[in-house]
Amino acid sequence: MTQFIQLHALVSYPPSNLNRDDLGRPKTAIMGGVNRLRISSQSLKRAWRTSELFESALGEHKGIRTKRIGIEIKNALITQGVEEKNAFEWAALMAACFGKVKTKKDKEGGEPLEIEQLVHIAPEEQRLIDVLVTKLAAEKRAPEETELTLLRQKPKAVDIALFGRMLASRSDCNVEAAAQVAHAITVHAVKVDDDYFTAVDDLNKHDEDAGAAHIGETGFASGVFYLYVCINKTLLCENLQNDSELVSKTLTAFIESMTKVSPTGKQNSFASRAYTSYLLAEKGPQQPRSLSVAFLRPVHGNDILDEAIKILNKQYEHFDNVYGKCADDRKSCLVTTEKSEGSLSEIIDFLTAGEPCSNT
């Protein structure tokens, strides 16, 4: 039976612009008839998987997402003594394993040897590339067709296992994501404000020339966000070849990153880093459900965080009353101005405990 992990977090961000729209303003969404701040799931996932915390815990098991693999292969071949013309042709053949290759610069600025779509390349696939590059350079020849099998159907890469991989030309090597991440939204209504700012030229010493050397404005807002994540633990085990130890390390790094790592947008301007203030963890085979419905009615009051925690807990109790228990077990931790309860390490132990992958 499929085992699910569900994480419900409340995070309070000060004035910030963590995730911008096409106009450079904070992303928003209408929910419950009012405007909310929003942080896209793409922004959150990238912040977590590229964080130092995630890298230090799982660096050797992380892949890389790029269009430039053909360019990197060509440069590696040239470094090992292959003529540029041959390096280009051989790199194109190897890069074609991962997608359609551009042979010349296009109007959008795409470089020759780029592939047309971003592809996530696993560490073992990168090792196969490196070995083949060295072999071709040493033997001074083009790759044979039998050597152009660089993709793996079940790569043992934690970021691919969590967030999936889609290859239009090689659907047999697609990987279904084990983690589903919702767009984070504020639990209350928000108005986006504008910060008007100027910059002064440090070398401008004359009063008659005094004034701004640059004028600009940027949107910002603050809020308490609700964030929901659902992890299919059974699928995560399958994606990581039933390596129980690696699954445990992956869950630990993912949960730590989720609770401690903020998106990087405009951090130099706002220093809006934040830890999770409240985390509710659930596990079991029951059908997952978000608790975002708790905030259809915007939260009001002088202590929005405390009120949001109460509403969130009341919402899962209501679901349990109507549908039966929606999780085998739950554990939470919180940090507010008034109190602190539980710990992140307890939640990690709670979620990583249990039978090994083969028996999940």
Side-chain angles (χ1 to χ4, degrees):
M1 186 173 287
T2 301
Q3 296 292 322
F4 295 101
I5 290 171
Q6 297 184 81
L7 299 165
H8 310 268
L10 293 171
V11 189
S12 177
Y13 282 107
S16 59
N17 188 350
L18 294 166
N19 187 204
R20 285 165 276 176
D21 63 17
D22 57 336
L23 299 177
R25 296 173 65 77
K27 288 186 176 180
T28 59
I30 300 293
M31 181 176 167
V34 299
N35 200 49
R36 318 289 183 108
L37 276 184
R38 175 173 65 92
I39 304 174
S40 71
S41 62
Q42 297 91 332
S43 174
L44 292 166
K45 288 185 284 190
R46 176 166 176 79
W48 300 337
R49 74 176 177 83
T50 60
S51 66
E52 289 186 12
L53 194 158
F54 202 81
E55 175 70 29
S56 63
L58 296 164
E60 63 182 307
H61 299 289
K62 272 185 57 184
I64 184 170
R65 191 174 67 174
T66 184
K67 288 183 175 183
R68 297 176 55 84
I69 189 62
I71 297 170
E72 296 299 313
I73 293 171
K74 184 195 78 169
N75 292 339
L77 287 165
I78 291 173
T79 299
Q80 296 187 40
V82 177
E83 294 181 3
E84 185 166 357
K85 179 178 179 297
N86 288 337
F88 186 97
E89 293 174 356
W90 302 353
L93 290 171
M94 293 173 66
C97 296
F98 300 93
K100 187 175 180 181
V101 179
K102 297 176 183 179
T103 57
K104 57 184 179 180
K105 190 165 186 173
D106 59 28
K107 293 179 181 179
E108 288 74 36
E111 296 293 332
L113 289 181
E114 281 188 353
I115 54 178
E116 293 189 346
Q117 292 181 320
L118 281 167
V119 62
H120 222 133
I121 299 170
E124 59 263 47
E125 293 166 341
Q126 184 62 58
R127 287 192 290 270
L128 289 172
I129 292 170
D130 295 339
V131 169
L132 184 54
V133 164
T134 300
K135 185 176 183 181
L136 298 180
E139 297 178 5
K140 296 180 171 55
R141 63 171 180 84
E144 298 174 2
E145 187 174 347
T146 55
E147 295 173 311
L148 297 174
T149 54
L150 302 173
L151 276 167
R152 290 295 174 265
Q153 290 185 328
K154 283 289 184 181
K156 205 171 181 179
V158 295
D159 41 0
I160 295 176
L162 282 168
F163 305 126
R165 177 169 76 176
M166 198 283 285
L167 298 164
S169 59
R170 284 292 306 274
S171 59
D172 59 316
C173 292
N174 288 349
V175 178
E176 184 180 353
Q180 299 172 342
V181 180
H183 291 232
I185 50 105
T186 52
V187 303
H188 50 84
V190 168
K191 176 182 175 295
V192 176
D193 292 311
D194 290 299
D195 177 31
Y196 171 84
F197 64 90
T198 64
V200 177
D201 189 328
D202 291 344
L203 296 181
N204 190 343
K205 308 294 186 183
H206 305 290
D207 290 342
E208 64 269 20
D209 296 324
H214 173 76
I215 296 173
E217 63 179 35
T218 186
F220 72 93
S222 63
V224 176
F225 288 80
Y226 168 68
L227 169 60
Y228 172 68
V229 172
C230 176
I231 300 172
N232 183 329
K233 188 180 179 184
T234 304
L235 180 57
L236 182 62
C237 285
E238 293 175 6
N239 286 349
L240 293 177
Q241 303 173 23
N242 288 317
D243 185 334
S244 297
E245 182 180 355
L246 183 56
V247 168
S248 180
K249 289 175 64 176
T250 300
L251 288 173
T252 298
F254 179 83
I255 295 165
E256 283 201 42
S257 299
M258 173 192 164
T259 53
K260 295 179 180 178
V261 175
S262 305
T264 57
K266 288 284 186 178
Q267 285 290 1
N268 289 346
S269 299
F270 292 100
S272 49
R273 300 184 183 274
Y275 277 19
T276 293
S277 294
Y278 178 71
L279 179 65
L280 170 66
E282 303 177 302
K283 65 179 181 180
Q286 292 81 3
Q287 182 65 26
R289 81 282 175 264
S290 165
L291 296 175
S292 61
V293 66
F295 306 113
L296 275 177
R297 181 183 298 169
V299 178
H300 298 283
N302 296 324
D303 193 342
I304 288 178
L305 176 60
D306 187 60
E307 190 64 23
I309 293 171
K310 294 176 183 176
I311 293 171
L312 193 67
N313 289 333
K314 188 180 296 183
Q315 186 63 55
Y316 81 67
E317 291 173 359
H318 290 335
F319 272 127
D320 282 2
N321 291 338
V322 173
Y323 294 103
K325 197 170 183 182
C326 295
D328 284 356
D329 206 354
R330 297 184 175 96
K331 190 172 284 290
S332 64
C333 65
L334 67 87
V335 180
T336 69
T337 55
E338 299 295 329
K339 58 184 176 180
S340 61
E341 293 178 359
S343 72
L344 182 61
S345 61
E346 289 176 355
I347 288 183
I348 290 171
D349 290 342
F350 163 72
L351 294 176
T352 56
E355 295 294 326
C357 279
S358 58
N359 298 319
T360 300

